[in-house]
Each structure stands twice: as C-alpha cells, then as structure tokens.
Amino acid sequence: MISAPELVRTLTRWLSSAAMASAPLFLRAALAVPFFRSGLTRWDGFLQLSDIAIYLFEEEFKLHIFGAEYGFPMPDAVAFLVATAELTLPVLLVLGLATRFAALAMLVMTSVIQLVVPDGWANFHLPWAAMAISIIALGAGPISLDRMVVRRFASEAYGQ
C-alpha cells in the first residue's frame, strides 16, 4: 500500500507536469482573445478597413508622451498594420507558431496601447504585458506547432 506522503508526492508531480504542459497554451489563448476580438472590429471585409478604424487612428488615438499628445504618423498605414497584427498575431499564438516573436510583438503593441490609453494599465495593459513576458520566457510549451517544428528539424539534423 502506498503511504500518504508518497501519494501526495505522486499527485504533486502529476499536477505539476499537467500544469507545465497546459499553462503555456492557456497563457497564449488568454493573451490572444482580446487582441483578436479587437482586430475583428477593424475590418469591413477582406483587406477592407472599416471607416471607424481609420477615423480612430486619424482623429482619436493620440500618443501621450511626457505630458503632450501626438498623433500617429501615417495613421492609415498604422491602422492597417495594427488591424492586420491584431488578427495574425493571436492566430500564431494560439497555434503556438513563432510564439516568442508573436508574444514580443504583442508586448510592443501593449506598450504603444499604454501610450494611447494611459489609464488602462491596471485593468488591461499590465496583465497583457505579464502574459506576453511569461510566454516569451516559457516558450510555446509542448502543445504547439513550435514544438513540432523543433522536433522535425532536430530529427533531420541528427539523421533520424
């Protein structure tokens, strides 16, 4: 019969390995959702930005830097780039493909969003930044295309 301390150690090891396998996936999904949902609101059709998205970058969104407000340079291009990134980066994150780079790009986006909406740091930007940094540190995890790619290239490199 298994002793109580051994049972606790076994359950703890199992719980730890299950969490290590699933935590990166959940982190990736949690960070992807708000960006993807925002990206969906910016389009009127295939490669057709909504008028509202363009208006926001031209007139409403301002960078708050050192107590002054600055408009975005080339707001139409920035709106298109942001709208595209808000759809593609979350997909890459959920798939676990180029995960650290996607998380880094989302961390940069979060930093810029912080400059546009300085009051959002506690409710949105800080958790997003924490998730992005965690993903960069942990990587995609075992449930990811990154892991499959690494295994594929590792087996080719060693002639297996």
Side-chain angles (χ1 to χ4, degrees):
M1 176 146 178
I2 190 165
S3 68
E6 184 59 34
L7 179 62
V8 168
R9 278 192 294 276
T10 301
L11 289 174
T12 303
R13 277 194 299 269
W14 178 85
L15 185 61
S16 178
S17 44
M20 288 297 286
S22 61
L25 174 63
F26 284 99
L27 273 172
R28 295 187 336 248
L31 182 58
V33 167
F35 284 86
F36 191 77
R37 291 181 71 182
S38 175
L40 289 175
T41 68
R42 300 196 191 277
W43 298 96
D44 274 341
F46 183 72
L47 296 180
Q48 180 62 45
L49 266 166
S50 70
D51 293 337
I52 293 169
I54 295 169
Y55 172 80
L56 288 172
F57 279 90
E58 288 176 346
E59 303 297 330
E60 295 292 320
F61 292 163
K62 304 292 182 205
L63 298 167
H64 297 84
I65 303 172
F66 300 119
E69 291 184 1
Y70 302 94
F72 277 94
M74 301 183 299
D76 293 357
V78 171
F80 186 83
L81 180 66
V82 167
T84 303
E86 284 181 331
L87 291 182
T88 56
L89 294 173
V91 169
L92 289 174
L93 269 187
V94 169
L95 294 175
L97 184 62
T99 306
R100 284 187 164 112
F101 296 110
L104 177 61
M106 293 177 92
L107 179 60
V108 169
M109 286 178 65
T110 300
S111 301
V112 173
I113 294 167
Q114 174 61 34
L115 294 174
V116 173
V117 186
D119 295 334
W121 72 272
N123 293 328
F124 303 105
H125 310 149
L126 182 60
W128 294 346
M131 286 186 278
I133 291 168
S134 298
I135 293 166
I136 293 167
L138 295 173
I143 306 168
S144 67
L145 290 178
D146 281 350
R147 180 65 54 99
M148 290 174 56
V149 168
V150 165
R151 284 187 178 160
R152 169 73 180 178
F153 285 115
S155 66
E156 287 179 7
Y158 293 107
Q160 297 177 351

